[in-house]
Amino acid sequence: MVVENLTPQQRKKLNVERRGVLITDVKKGAAKDAGLRRGDIVLMMNNKEVKNTDQFRKLVKGLPGGKSVPILIQRNNHPEFLALKVPD
């Protein structure tokens, strides 16, 4: 999964002024299996707020292998929880 920081204009338009990263691409693997799509905004992962791409990468590195973790996304201006199965 590839993510990028939201611009101030995107944050205002999407009403996510303090948090979130934009998914720009989803390859085969855990993210695609969880139902994540290009254009989704990741707001929280494993019950931790996602503020920017640097923090997102740190959170990903700390995910427990072989377990499922909750991921809160915004899709079409609606929040939705998905379960992300972390590879071993």
Side-chain angles (χ1 to χ4, degrees):
M1 165 169 54
V2 180
V3 299
E4 66 181 35
N5 289 317
L6 292 161
T7 66
Q9 296 83 1
Q10 288 170 315
R11 289 186 178 285
K12 186 173 181 177
K13 179 181 175 185
L14 299 167
N15 198 27
V16 288
E17 294 187 22
R18 297 182 340 236
R19 61 181 177 165
V21 293
L22 177 67
I23 297 175
T24 59
D25 193 21
V26 180
K27 311 263 187 227
K28 289 183 180 179
K32 190 164 194 93
D33 293 344
L36 293 165
R37 302 180 198 159
R38 183 176 190 253
D40 288 345
I41 300 166
V42 179
L43 301 173
M44 295 181 78
M45 187 166 34
N46 202 20
N47 301 315
K48 293 183 175 75
E49 195 169 86
V50 175
K51 296 181 182 179
N52 56 47
T53 56
D54 290 336
Q55 187 210 18
F56 174 84
R57 287 185 194 95
K58 288 177 187 174
L59 288 173
V60 168
K61 287 181 182 180
L63 292 176
K67 305 236 179 197
S68 290
V69 297
I71 184 164
L72 176 64
I73 62 164
Q74 181 170 306
R75 182 181 290 161
N76 299 323
N77 290 322
H78 299 290
E80 182 177 335
F81 272 104
L82 300 173
L84 177 68
K85 172 99 167 124
V86 182
D88 287 325

